[in-house]
Structures are given as C-alpha cells and as structure tokens.
Amino acid sequence: MTEDTEGCTEESEWFTCKARSGDGINQSRRLLNSSVSLLFRSSGRGSFLPAYIRTIGIPTFTNRTTVFNLETQLTQKVRAEFIGRGKYQVLPQNTGIDALLTGEVSSVTIVPASFNTQQLASRYAITMTARIELRDMRENKVLWENPSVMFRQEYEATSGRTATDPNAFFQQDTTSLERMSTEFARTIVSAILEAF
C-alpha cells in the first residue's frame, strides 16, 4: 500500500482517496486520473493461463474459404501478436508445447455497405467467421474457445471496383487483407490472454 501526494492510497489494484471539504471537483479528477492510470498499468499484464504454460504451438490455420493465402496471413499475424506480448515462446508445431492454438476460417463474405449517388458501392463490409481453440496440452483441456468468432471490417471502394467476391476483392486491395488480419490477431490474442 502506497500513498501519493494527492491523498490517494493505492491498495493492491484499487485506489482510495480521502475526501477533503471543498475539494470535490479536484478529488473527482484525481480519482479519474488514478483509474485511468490503473487501467493502463493493468492492461495486458493479466493472464488467466496457467503459470506452467510457456510455449504455445500455433500451426497454420485451416482455410475453408476461397481466399488465397488467408490462413497463412492470419496465422503469421496471430503468432506475431503473441510474440509481441513477450511472455510466451511461440512455435509452429503441435507437439512438444504447453498449449496449442488452432484456428479454422469457415467463411469470408463481402457485401456493399454504402452507395454513392450513381448507386455504385462506395464502402464494403467484409465479415470473416472462424473457429479458434486454445488447448492445455498437459491437462488436455480447452482453456479458451470460440466456435464462431465473427470479425467485421468496412473498407472504402476504390474507383471502378464492384467486387463482391472476397478473393477478387483481396486481389485488388491487398492492404485490406493485411489490415483485417492484424486486427483479427489483436482481437483474438487479447481475448485469450485477458479472458474477455
């Protein structure tokens, strides 16, 4: 337990502030600042995974869609996101590891989300559905799973493009696949490590 110069006491993960007469606004500001500080200090450091899990195997995801190379892109981004968290060794195999993360992309759809005055699509919504599972290999039990993760992103249409086939869309705009994979990986890894 520590006390700062503003009369607030940090107890474990909570802050308690002493009330002072005539200082309600400043006290509220300190409490808000303390809460924001706590949020930033706590985010990303908690993990519900067992302490003995040090290596996570992430083999290439399965791709049940027609989008070329989607499984490779997603797998690389998820691996990079875990590595970026700095706590786990990430390996591409499914043996000799403490936990196994598997993924299967079951669908990718693209539909126009908005239209311009000529009734041409000006934005597209891309929805990807996947099954993700993290299994404890020592106990042979599922630690985290989502059998139907849905991830949706919207993208601006470039002039003259009317692609409603995901494969054609990603061939025309390769950066959208990159952005979608990065956001998907960040979302999945955060959900797993923070158990939300």
Side-chain angles (χ1 to χ4, degrees):
M1 176 166 60
T2 60
E3 186 166 323
D4 68 8
T5 58
E6 301 293 328
C8 294
T9 305
E10 179 183 0
E11 299 172 3
S12 179
E13 296 294 318
W14 299 95
F15 281 88
T16 307
C17 295
K18 297 175 188 169
R20 296 182 188 152
S21 60
D23 199 21
I25 292 174
N26 288 334
Q27 180 185 1
S28 296
R29 284 186 187 144
R30 282 192 305 276
L31 186 56
L32 177 62
N33 288 339
S34 297
S35 298
V36 169
S37 171
L38 176 63
L39 175 68
F40 282 112
R41 286 188 298 141
S42 296
S43 68
R45 84 174 178 184
S47 174
F48 81 101
L49 297 179
Y52 59 83
I53 292 184
R54 303 237 187 266
T55 59
I56 299 176
I58 307 176
T60 302
F61 288 1
T62 303
N63 183 5
R64 303 264 183 240
T65 74
T66 60
V67 179
F68 176 72
N69 214 25
L70 177 61
E71 72 284 1
T72 304
Q73 185 87 7
L74 289 174
T75 304
Q76 288 174 349
K77 293 294 183 177
V78 170
R79 287 175 184 162
E81 188 67 26
F82 265 108
I83 291 168
R85 301 293 175 112
K87 188 174 180 180
Y88 305 99
Q89 179 183 13
V90 176
L91 302 172
Q93 67 252 18
N94 56 7
T95 58
I97 52 175
D98 301 318
L100 176 65
L101 181 72
T102 56
E104 178 181 301
V105 183
S106 54
S107 71
V108 176
T109 59
I110 181 168
V111 295
S114 63
F115 298 87
N116 62 21
T117 56
Q118 291 83 29
Q119 296 303 309
L120 296 174
S122 58
R123 287 185 71 77
Y124 287 98
I126 300 173
T127 304
M128 180 173 58
T129 306
R131 182 192 62 77
I132 307 292
E133 177 185 281
L134 180 68
R135 179 171 292 276
D136 179 336
M137 299 303 283
R138 178 189 286 184
E139 301 294 325
N140 194 27
K141 68 178 184 177
V142 174
L143 295 173
W144 186 92
E145 72 176 333
N146 190 329
S148 188
V149 175
M150 291 192 77
F151 191 77
R152 183 177 186 269
Q153 290 257 310
E154 287 193 8
Y155 297 97
E156 295 291 328
T158 57
S159 62
R161 180 172 57 181
T162 58
T164 55
D165 171 39
N167 205 33
F169 181 86
F170 289 130
Q171 285 178 351
Q172 293 175 25
D173 188 356
T174 56
T175 59
S176 59
L177 178 59
E178 174 83 16
R179 287 190 312 255
M180 188 172 82
S181 299
T182 299
E183 288 302 313
F184 177 82
R186 188 173 296 131
T187 301
I188 294 299
V189 173
S190 292
I192 290 170
L193 294 180
E194 297 167 14
F196 291 124

